[in-house]
Amino acid sequence: EVQLVESGGGLVQAGGSLTLSCAAFGATIENYAISWFRLAPGRGREGLSCISSRDGSVYNTDSVKGRFTIARDNAKNTVYLQMNSLVTEDTALYSCAAAQDACKYDPDYWGQGTQVTVSS
């Protein structure tokens, strides 16, 4: 069973950038489809980006296209989410999740999350 640990969150000013990391333990991350989600107060869970296990295809939701980039480093068993041009509406708890088959809204394994706060 894969275990996921996120890191890289913090406080950043609007317009700034952050890179989140999702490290996998107990399994090889390239064997899973890895997604990034976020949850903000008063808003439902939002799927942001996903990188598939098979061919590394990437899927992004419209709200982050052109700003967020998902990437996988197989040697480090880690998936990253590079976030640029951050706005206050990006403030949320960001979590990564793994699915054994394909990118989906309800993956099987979740990390604990890392908080991102964007100040104006």
Side-chain angles (χ1 to χ4, degrees):
E1 178 176 314
V2 64
Q3 294 181 329
L4 304 173
V5 178
E6 301 96 334
S7 61
L11 176 64
V12 63
Q13 284 191 324
S17 299
L18 278 176
T19 300
L20 305 183
S21 300
C22 173
F25 299 91
T28 302
I29 202 167
E30 66 181 309
N31 293 335
Y32 294 82
I34 303 296
S35 299
W36 282 97
F37 294 83
R38 67 185 178 189
L39 182 63
R43 290 154 53 184
R45 185 173 71 194
E46 181 182 15
L48 304 174
S49 298
C50 182
I51 184 166
S52 70
S53 60
R54 298 179 182 88
D55 58 5
S57 296
V58 170
Y59 307 93
N60 294 299
T61 193
D62 287 344
S63 64
V64 303
K65 281 181 180 176
R67 298 193 301 128
F68 292 8
T69 302
I70 190 171
R72 185 174 64 210
D73 187 332
N74 293 335
K76 295 184 178 180
N77 220 32
T78 299
V79 167
Y80 302 95
L81 185 68
Q82 172 69 43
M83 306 187 296
N84 299 322
S85 302
L86 288 164
V87 298
T88 55
E89 291 78 14
D90 293 319
T91 295
L93 180 70
Y94 285 70
S95 299
C96 64
Q100 290 186 306
D101 41 9
C103 294
K104 57 184 181 181
Y105 187 72
D106 189 19
D108 307 295
Y109 308 100
W110 291 80
Q112 292 299 308
T114 185
Q115 178 67 36
V116 172
T117 302
V118 184
S119 63
S120 59

